[in-house]
Every structure is written in structure tokens, then in C-alpha cells.
Amino acid sequence: MNYIDPHIHMISRVTDDYHRMARCGCVAISEPAFWAGFDRGSADGFRDYFHHLVEVEPKRAAQFGIQHYSWLCINAKEAENVSLSRDVIALIPEFLTKPSVLGIGEIGLNKNTPNEATIFQEHMDLAMKTDELILIHTPHLEDKLKGTRMIIDMLKNDPRVKPHRVCVDHVEEHTVRLALDGGFWCGMTLYPTSKCTPSRAVDILEMVGLDRIMANSAGDWGKSDPLAVPELILEMRRRGHPESAIKKVVHDNPLEFFRQSSRWQEPALRNES
Amino acid sequence: MTLPNPLKPNPLKPSHTKPLLDQQFLEIRCKILDLAAQLDRLTRGGEMAAIESDPKWILIQKGIALLGTNRPAKAQGVQELFSLCYDPNWPKPSPRF
């Protein structure tokens, strides 16, 4: 089955992963800007990173017939440095002309600090000014519920925000309804230990339905599985769920969300074998 | 703010309980066994008194107790148990129009 991984950090993955993903049916991915595993020292480091996201990765993905899209921002962890964050936010507009950029992301909160909230709002101001889609990182573990509520407070506090143009990512059992009830899209991250397993993600789908929800691997430099979305497909099949339902979650829903981007270009369709 | 699109009825039906139990019995047994072994490991360390008031140990005990209740949505309950408190009056930044 053709699928889309709407959140994966291919900059941290080897080329063989693209190959394996393509063999499993991956036709497109989107790669949000994130924390590199260390705090960068200057805005120039981000300029190089954004260049990598919009120029280098699309070419690497194209070798395997995978369409590569990206999202730009300074991540929540480095957003604690407000001065650096403002320099990075000022860089973003020059990259928003690139056709593969879907919007602003993954912005969000990490430890739910006032500085992180300030920079989250300033990213939203940019997204509203430039009419961009928004992809949101919600915090990990014990910070997730509080942080997700704070993020939704900020989204609802801004009358310019159109919920159907926002995806709240890394939702789990205790946060998925906060996102859906607010009218937002949401993403479940299939990630060992700290987020959702494929089984729990299918449990969530059985509880909340198939609308405005997608699944991703968030594969990165940590212990993660770039083939996590195919694992979800297998789990849904194991439970006897119809192919149409599976396709909606792993292909049609991300496509519906991405198509709202002002720069969206419809990729050539690959025939199902 | 645009009103959210109403969600459609969920077409995914969960599996029936009896065949699910038959199918998952060994997996559940394995997870209980893993948890039991992890608790044994803590005990073998010989310093249980030292963690009696550790918030992490208290949370683990509450989590195990929650599994033995009849409440629905146990996974959500465990998630909420392991979550920090939220203050709805936190100082929010203002949008710049």
C-alpha cells in the first residue's frame, strides 16, 4: 500500500532507509525542522540546516521515487534562547518561496517555559502573516498533557488561527481529544518508549475515528523506526480493518492536510502493484 | 476562529473480547511477567526503604493499582497519572497583529 510518513527527520537517517521505505510503499514524507541533538551556536547554523532541508533531502529522496516536503522553524528546545530564536525566525521567509516547504514547524513547547511560549507565539505570528500551515510538536512524557493544553490555549487565544490549517503532533490517549475537539488535525507518533506503539495507535483510532488524524514515525537520530508506519498498516490489517480505512490514515489524510499549503504541487501518482 | 468540522461516525470496530483474549493472552502474560521481574529487580537491590517516598515509586504503585480497577480507559488514566498539573491561568503571550 502507498503511504506517506508525515513526520520523519531524514537528515539523521542513512540512504538505505529511503530505499527500505520506498520498498514498503512510501511515496512521500514531510520533514519538520528539529533539534539536532545539540544547541546550535548561531543563526547561520540554521540557514545551512534549512538549505539542507529544502535542497539536499528532496534530491536524496527523489532517487527512490519519494517526494520530500519540509517545515521550517527553530524547535522548542532551542527556543529557550529568545535572541537566537528571533534571528532564526527572521531567516525563514527567504525559504518560504521553495515549493517543497509546507509551512512552519515543528514549533511547540518542550519544558513548557515562558520563553518557549513567547517564541511559539512569534512563530504563529509569522505563519499568520505569511498564510502558512502549522505543524506543532507537543512535549514528551510528564510534560505532554500540560504542554498540549497550553498550546491549545495559545491557538484558541489567537483569532487568526484556522484550526483545519494546524496539526497537533505526538498526540496520545490523554491528548488526542483535546486536538480533535478543537477542530485541529492531529498526528500520532509511533516511537519506542516515549510515545505511541502501533498497537496503541490503532486503539486510539478505534476510539476516536479516522477524521483529521494521521500517523508518523518521527524517525530521527534516537532509537526510532523509519518503517513504523508500515507497522501500523500491519496492525490494522491484523485486526481486520478495511483497506480503505488504512489508506485514509496513512495516505489520504496527510495528503488532504498538505494540499492546503499555498505552494502545494501534486506529485505524480505511483501505481499500486 | 473557524468552527471545527464535525467528526464522522467511527467505521473501525474493535475486536470482540473473547477472541481478543485468546489472541493476546500470551502477550499480556509476558508483559505482566516483565513487570514482575522489574519489581523483583528493585527488591533485590535491598534498599526498598530508600525509595518508599520517591515520587517515581509512588507513581508506579498508583499505576499498578489503577490496572486492577474496573475503570474504562485505563491507558488514558495511566497517562494522566504520569502527567504534570496544568494551571489554566498561566500567563499567555499576546498575538501581534
Side-chain angles (χ1 to χ4, degrees):
Chain A
M1 173 179 289
N2 286 352
Y3 77 91
I4 295 171
D5 192 335
H7 185 146
I8 185 165
H9 301 288
M10 293 308 296
I11 190 171
S12 305
R13 308 298 312 190
V14 295
T15 303
D16 287 355
D17 287 339
Y18 273 123
H19 188 193
R20 293 191 301 142
M21 290 162 70
R23 283 168 59 189
C24 289
C26 182
V27 292
I29 61 165
S30 83
E31 177 159 2
F34 84 138
W35 189 56
F38 62 95
D39 289 351
R40 281 156 279 207
S42 71
D44 280 342
F46 282 87
R47 186 192 295 278
D48 289 345
Y49 178 38
F50 294 162
H51 171 78
H52 189 120
L53 289 178
V54 304
E55 299 288 352
V56 179
E57 283 307 325
K59 287 178 190 153
R60 208 157 71 108
Q63 297 174 72
F64 302 94
I66 295 174
Q67 200 83 22
H68 183 283
Y69 300 95
S70 55
W71 304 80
L72 304 178
C73 75
I74 178 165
N75 60 86
K77 197 169 168 61
E78 285 168 289
E80 190 57 30
N81 183 338
V82 171
S83 166
L84 173 66
S85 299
R86 287 180 173 150
D87 289 344
V88 175
I89 290 172
L91 281 178
I92 293 173
E94 71 183 82
F95 290 92
L96 291 178
T97 56
K98 301 290 180 184
S100 62
V101 178
L102 293 176
I104 303 298
E106 57 181 308
I107 60 171
L109 299 177
N110 178 48
K111 300 307 285 182
N112 305 328
T113 69
N115 281 356
E116 291 169 16
T118 296
I119 295 305
F120 179 87
Q121 182 62 56
E122 292 185 17
H123 275 113
M124 283 217 298
D125 291 337
L126 172 64
M128 293 303 110
K129 193 174 152 195
T130 53
D131 195 26
E132 296 296 331
L133 296 178
I134 298 176
L135 178 64
I136 296 178
H137 164 93
T138 54
H140 307 278
L141 302 170
E142 72 270 20
D143 296 303
K144 183 179 292 295
L145 181 57
K146 177 183 178 182
T148 304
R149 284 183 164 162
M150 289 170 68
I151 285 165
I152 287 177
D153 284 346
M154 288 188 279
L155 292 167
K156 289 186 170 174
N157 194 41
D158 191 331
R160 300 168 298 179
V161 171
K162 298 182 179 82
H164 64 276
R165 291 178 59 78
V166 175
C167 179
V168 178
D169 214 340
H170 315 318
V171 298
E172 295 180 51
E173 291 88 346
H174 54 326
T175 56
V176 63
R177 287 186 179 87
L178 291 172
L180 289 176
D181 291 350
F184 306 103
W185 282 83
C186 63
M188 298 179 292
T189 295
L190 312 166
Y191 202 86
T193 314
S194 64
K195 295 189 175 76
C196 260
T197 60
S199 298
R200 282 175 43 229
V202 181
D203 292 338
I204 290 172
L205 291 171
E206 289 175 353
M207 289 187 279
V208 304
L210 303 172
D211 291 337
R212 285 187 274 119
I213 192 162
M214 49 188 113
N216 61 71
S217 71
D220 59 10
W221 41 258
K223 191 177 176 190
S224 50
D225 179 8
L227 299 179
V229 176
E231 291 290 345
L232 178 97
I233 293 170
L234 290 177
E235 178 65 15
M236 290 185 79
R237 281 186 182 144
R238 193 177 68 80
R239 296 192 194 186
H241 294 316
E243 292 292 300
S244 58
I246 303 171
K247 181 169 174 280
K248 181 170 170 60
V249 176
V250 304
H251 182 272
D252 299 350
N253 280 354
L255 203 53
E256 187 181 339
F257 181 64
F258 293 171
R259 276 179 174 148
Q260 298 179 85
S261 169
S262 55
R263 287 171 301 281
W264 175 257
Q265 291 177 357
E266 199 72 26
L269 289 177
R270 184 197 292 176
N271 288 331
E272 294 272 11
S273 54
Chain B
M1 186 176 280
T2 310
L3 289 174
N5 299 326
L7 298 173
K8 292 192 263 301
N10 188 353
L12 297 190
K13 300 278 180 262
S15 308
H16 292 294
T17 303
K18 179 64 172 86
L20 197 59
L21 176 64
D22 293 342
Q23 188 184 59
Q24 301 209 333
F25 175 72
L26 283 179
E27 195 180 329
I28 294 170
R29 175 189 178 277
C30 176
K31 286 179 178 173
I32 292 172
L33 190 56
D34 258 351
L35 179 59
Q38 283 179 308
L39 296 176
D40 285 347
R41 242 168 269 149
L42 292 176
T43 307
R44 281 204 310 277
E47 293 168 339
M48 289 305 283
I51 63 165
E52 229 169 49
S53 57
D54 187 314
K56 294 192 286 296
W57 176 236
I58 293 169
L59 279 175
I60 287 168
Q61 287 178 304
K62 286 183 179 172
I64 293 169
L66 188 147
L67 300 184
T69 66
N70 285 327
R71 66 158 284 173
K74 290 186 181 63
Q76 184 177 342
V78 170
Q79 293 274 24
E80 288 166 356
L81 177 67
F82 284 84
S83 295
L84 295 176
C85 293
Y86 156 78
D87 172 10
N89 297 315
W90 69 279
K92 300 164 188 69
S94 299
R96 290 184 305 184
F97 298 101

